[in-house]
């Protein structure tokens, strides 16, 4: 064995073709094929994941549902920050997500969305923070990545597809596309492992995860007795956020 081979076998040496070692245990995605393509074998905790989509409602939340169901069994919160549509509680419940651990944070601006997402990530009280902030500047993304590292949270941002060409500090970036009732994933960035071929998954398209006006009538809510907690990210109500999840 040459001196170079001996050095390369040292556990502290990392090669670009290898997956980077994770310091915080990842969360299994619930899809074995996807786990095999991700460093740590799942969604990275203490890190930011950026999912790039052309439009909402293509199955992006169903991709996260198995991990959210697993994390909802922990004594921490799942925070949905500024979702574009009202989450449909019965559908989340049917996927095994404990609604008592789920919070929807409403905001009135992208600035409020970023503020609330950072607070949730940094608090250490949230196992996962899912946010829809729109197009985000690189500096703001770095703040969110730092907050996720501090709070040891799984942070997921849904970003417009046009942001794919922009630099991002998120360790994991995946472009999503929907076709023929299946979701296609293009891994744009990950820690090690080199280029990955596109992956197509059956995420179980079925009952929508967002509610129509008919779904949220008072009669339906009363009959099902299934609701989602909602709070505001408005500065005047920031105490509610601090008390609830920080």
């Amino acid at each position: 064995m040459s001196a170079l081979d001996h050095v390369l076998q040292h556990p502290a040496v990392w090669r670009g073709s290898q997956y980077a070692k994770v310091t915080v245990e990842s969360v299994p995605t619930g899809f074995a094929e996807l786990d095999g393509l991700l460093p740590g074998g799942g969604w990275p905790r203490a890190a930011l994941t950026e999912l790039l989509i052309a439009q909402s409602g293509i199955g992006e939340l169903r991709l996260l549902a198995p991990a959210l169901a697993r994390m909802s069994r922990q004594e921490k919160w799942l925070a949905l920050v500024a979702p574009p549509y009202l989450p449909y509680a019965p559908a989340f419940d049917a996927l095994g997500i404990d609604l008592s651990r789920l919070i929807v944070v409403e905001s009135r601006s992208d600035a409020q969305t970023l503020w609330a997402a950072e607070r949730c990530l940094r608090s250490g009280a949230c196992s996962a923070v899912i946010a829809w902030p729109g197009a985000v500047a690189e500096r703001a993304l770095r703040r969110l990545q730092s907050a996720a590292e501090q709070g040891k949270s799984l942070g997921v941002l849904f970003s417009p597809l046009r942001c794919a060409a922009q630099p991002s500090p998120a360790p994991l970036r995946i472009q999503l596309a929907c076709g023929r009732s299946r979701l296609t994933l293009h891994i744009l960035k990950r820690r090690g492992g080199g280029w990955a071929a596109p992956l197509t998954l059956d995420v179980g398209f079925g009952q929508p995860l967002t509610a129509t006006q008919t779904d949220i009538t008072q009669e339906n809510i009363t009959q099902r007795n299934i609701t989602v907690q909602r709070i505001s990210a408005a500065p005047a109500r920031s105490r509610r956020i601090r008390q609830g999840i920080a």
Side-chain angles (χ1 to χ4, degrees):
M1 180 183 295
S2 67
L4 178 59
D5 290 334
H6 181 73
V7 171
L8 292 177
Q9 288 186 353
H10 193 281
V13 175
W14 172 76
R15 300 187 185 189
S17 60
Q18 300 173 329
Y19 291 143
K21 297 178 180 178
V22 298
T23 57
V24 180
E25 184 180 2
S26 299
V27 182
T29 67
F31 303 94
E33 306 97 318
L34 180 57
D35 287 342
L37 296 175
L38 300 179
W43 300 117
R45 290 176 57 229
L48 204 59
T49 293
E50 194 174 4
L51 300 181
L52 298 117
I53 55 177
Q55 63 183 52
S56 299
I58 62 172
E60 66 275 16
L61 282 176
R62 288 188 173 273
L63 178 65
L64 299 173
L68 295 179
R70 176 189 293 265
M71 289 185 289
S72 72
R73 295 192 287 270
Q74 303 173 5
E75 293 299 320
K76 290 189 175 184
W77 297 100
L78 305 176
L80 306 183
V81 183
Y85 304 103
L86 179 65
Y88 187 42
F92 276 80
D93 182 65
L95 290 172
I97 298 172
D98 184 352
L99 298 183
S100 69
R101 309 311 305 169
L102 184 65
I103 297 178
V104 175
V105 183
E106 300 172 334
S107 74
R108 300 176 182 174
S109 66
D110 289 345
Q112 285 186 7
T113 300
L114 291 171
W115 176 85
E118 182 180 343
R119 291 281 301 186
C120 292
L121 287 168
R122 201 178 298 277
S123 70
C126 296
S127 56
V129 179
I130 319 297
W132 290 258
V136 182
E138 184 178 359
R139 182 177 179 182
L141 288 173
R142 292 192 181 279
R143 289 183 62 90
L144 294 176
Q145 169 63 21
S146 175
E149 292 175 356
Q150 181 176 334
K152 300 294 188 294
S153 298
L154 164 62
V156 178
L157 293 187
F158 287 111
S159 299
L161 190 57
R162 66 179 183 274
C163 296
Q166 300 175 2
S168 171
L172 179 62
R173 303 185 82 200
I174 303 178
Q175 178 179 324
L176 306 181
C178 180
R180 297 183 179 180
S181 299
R182 295 173 71 86
L183 197 63
T184 300
L185 288 70
H186 299 261
I187 298 179
L188 306 179
K189 178 184 178 184
R190 57 181 174 174
R191 287 174 169 165
W195 178 82
L199 174 66
T200 301
L201 296 175
D202 181 0
V203 296
F205 287 96
Q207 188 177 29
L209 295 178
T210 55
T212 65
Q213 190 62 39
T214 302
D215 294 326
I216 58 177
T217 60
Q218 187 60 47
E219 180 181 359
N220 284 346
I221 292 175
T222 302
Q223 289 178 351
R224 296 175 185 271
N225 195 28
I226 299 176
T227 58
V228 174
Q229 302 177 71
R230 299 163 65 186
I231 60 177
S232 173
R237 302 182 183 180
S238 61
R239 179 178 298 180
R240 294 180 64 186
I241 294 177
R242 287 197 296 268
Q243 292 176 343
I245 58 179

